[in-house]
Amino acid sequence: MGVTEGRLDAEWLRAWCERGGGTVVRATDASHRATAALVDLTPIPSDLTTLYWVLAEARLPDGRSVHPPATVAALFREHGEIDIPGEQPALLFATTAEGHACALSSSGRVWQATSPSTTGQFDLLASSLRDFLEIRR
């Protein structure tokens, strides 16, 4: 895989939205302002900024939910960065159908809580946000 192949870019993301599957809410001026506020609040991985520039939130076919940027900011205010050794900062940005939190780390990898908690162990779920969006369960 090339260096940028797993990274998220707006063109790929727009095409992904058009392929269907799940429910996608496109980005709006309000969600762009919420993304800017999130960036001001804490450093966020560039893939998350790209995601929120194209879409505000999504519900994937397997029940995972990508939270809107205002929710991510609220989760950060409540929980701070998620403690995943060597992966700081890691921000909560999604939830599985079972209620397990998902965090995107500074490396671009996506981690899933092993229980419906934000303080327990997180296991690697996807090597990138792009791979996270492509998971078919």
Side-chain angles (χ1 to χ4, degrees), residues 9-98:
D9 66 66
E11 184 178 323
W12 180 89
L13 188 54
R14 284 185 196 96
W16 176 84
C17 290
E18 294 302 319
R19 288 196 304 264
T23 304
V24 173
V25 177
R26 296 293 185 135
T28 63
D29 288 341
S31 69
H32 286 165
R33 286 190 300 275
T35 300
L38 178 60
V39 169
D40 288 344
L41 181 63
T42 184
I44 69 171
S46 63
D47 282 356
L48 199 55
T49 305
T50 301
L51 177 95
Y52 288 138
W53 195 252
V54 175
L55 61 91
E57 62 185 291
R59 180 132 180 123
L60 305 178
D62 66 357
R64 286 174 292 138
S65 295
V66 175
H67 304 306
T71 300
V72 174
L75 288 168
F76 178 78
R77 285 186 198 98
E78 183 178 343
H79 302 286
E81 293 177 2
I82 299 305
D83 185 23
I84 301 172
E87 296 288 332
Q88 299 331 93
L91 300 176
L92 298 174
F93 79 100
T95 306
T96 67
E98 298 81 21

